[in-house]
Amino acid sequence: MSIILSHLLTGTPQPLGDKAVPSSIASRRPVTGPVRVTMLGLTGDAVGDTKVHGGPDKAIHLYPHDHYAVWAAEQPAMATHLSQAGAFGENLSVAGLMEADVCLGDVVALGTARLQIAQSRQPCWKLGVRFGLPTLPRLVQKTGRTGWYYRVLEEGEVQAGDELRLIDRPNPAWTLARALRTLYVDTLNRDALAELSTLPGASAGLQRLAANRLANAAVEDWERRLGGS
């Protein structure tokens, strides 16, 4: 199956919500023509909070466009925002590729760049503000419709219409769907956490999270991330 990049999107931070926090979640728009890919992401793209977004392990965000119709059916209030790509603040929009189809550590060719899946997106409260649906971050986490982040292994250029082509799968047992189950459902599975803590290609943050759960025999507090408090 050929996976084609439907839209390539960039944006810059804009005030979000009543607190006017800087965020690019609502500003990303499709761009035409080639865009330079660097180790920190797409030229012309920026994040609002560099403490939790962006960086080498979260350089480029892909959100499966197939989820849009499901969200619109389940949450009609979201439909207006879902009328165009970029509603979830993603950089890459594709159809035919979801969390069960990809694995942590997958290396792909896109344009002249090489990317690697580093981790899933960890939904935060800004999604709820963006869509006017405070429960959305928890729903994204519960359903596993999170999308994922790529790190950049080789810089290059990409543009809409390029093929996303798998060139290496070092961790075939670790689909993103399995990783999400470990993160949010079977949260203290020690065997799975031990694997994740040293899994080649997984982000440093994901490895650290797994190691901390093992050490503490407890799950980290999600409330601040999901609820903003």
Side-chain angles (χ1 to χ4, degrees), residues 10-215:
T10 63
T12 54
Q14 305 295 326
L16 178 72
D18 294 340
K19 296 181 180 179
V21 295
S23 174
S24 297
I25 194 171
S27 70
R28 291 199 169 97
R29 299 290 183 270
V31 293
T32 58
V35 174
R36 184 71 183 167
V37 179
T38 75
M39 292 297 176
L40 294 179
L42 302 175
T43 298
D45 190 66
V47 299
D49 185 352
T50 57
K51 292 182 179 179
V52 294
H53 298 293
D57 281 345
K58 300 179 183 178
I60 296 177
H61 175 45
L62 185 151
Y63 195 79
H65 196 265
D66 302 75
H67 293 334
Y68 276 45
V70 183
W71 284 120
E74 293 177 353
Q75 304 291 337
M78 295 174 62
T80 298
H81 289 308
L82 295 171
S83 62
Q84 60 183 10
F88 281 80
E90 64 267 35
N91 300 116
L92 308 180
S93 178
V94 304
L97 195 67
M98 291 186 280
E99 289 80 1
D101 304 315
V102 301
C103 296
L104 287 169
D106 276 2
V107 178
V108 300
L110 182 63
T112 59
R114 296 292 181 271
L115 314 177
Q116 183 176 41
I117 296 179
Q119 67 169 75
S120 64
R121 180 178 184 166
Q122 292 179 293
C124 78
W125 59 272
K126 292 176 185 176
L127 275 172
V129 176
R130 191 268 189 276
F131 284 95
L133 186 64
T135 58
L136 184 60
R138 289 177 172 81
L139 292 173
V140 170
Q141 181 166 299
K142 181 179 180 180
T143 61
R145 299 195 291 260
T146 63
W148 56 89
Y149 286 109
Y150 289 103
R151 67 166 58 89
V152 178
L153 298 181
E154 295 181 21
E155 298 183 347
E157 289 188 342
V158 302
Q159 61 183 326
D162 284 343
E163 182 181 9
L164 188 75
R165 181 169 55 88
L166 179 67
I167 57 178
D168 189 26
R169 174 162 286 172
N171 306 310
W174 275 99
T175 65
L176 204 63
R178 181 189 175 192
L180 288 163
R181 178 173 178 81
T182 301
L183 287 173
Y184 303 128
V185 180
D186 191 13
T187 54
L188 291 176
N189 183 320
R190 294 190 63 83
D191 290 340
L193 291 172
E195 285 188 52
L196 268 183
S197 68
T198 59
L199 193 71
S203 72
L206 181 55
Q207 292 177 337
R208 185 166 54 249
L209 182 152
N212 286 340
R213 285 191 190 176
L214 277 172

